[in-house]
Amino acid sequence: MHEKRRWLPRWQRIELVELCLEQGLTRRQAAAWRRVSVSTVQYWINRYRSAGEGDRVSGGWADDIRARPITSPG
């Protein structure tokens, strides 16, 4: 499911969260503005809220998650 959201650049992910949490836009308004689904906006808000303070400040929560495992069974 993450692959569907991958095309959204990092700066737009941060922008969506800022629009909702800091400027008070609804999820639906932010989704229409960026032309993504409401569930995509909610996904990035959840990622932001579950991130630690360091990741919130640095924006690390908006980075792509690796789809490939670090190790694989022998």
Side-chain angles (χ1 to χ4, degrees), residues 12 18 23 30-31 34 36 46 52 54:
Q12 288 180 355
E18 288 176 352
Q23 297 181 16
R34 188 45 69 195
V36 295
N46 290 341

Side-chain angles (χ1 to χ4, degrees), residues 18-71:
E18 288 176 352
L19 284 173
C20 291
L21 299 181
E22 294 175 8
Q23 297 181 16
L25 259 65
T26 64
R27 311 297 193 260
R28 189 176 302 271
Q29 290 170 331
W33 184 76
R34 188 45 69 195
R35 295 184 179 158
V36 295
S37 68
V38 176
S39 63
T40 297
V41 176
Q42 188 61 48
Y43 174 83
W44 291 113
I45 289 173
N46 290 341
R47 281 271 305 265
Y48 175 80
R49 287 183 173 161
S50 66
E53 188 62 33
D55 279 340
R56 286 183 182 180
V57 172
S58 69
W61 60 270
D63 291 335
D64 286 332
I65 297 174
R66 291 177 52 120
R68 184 175 175 190
I70 295 172
T71 61

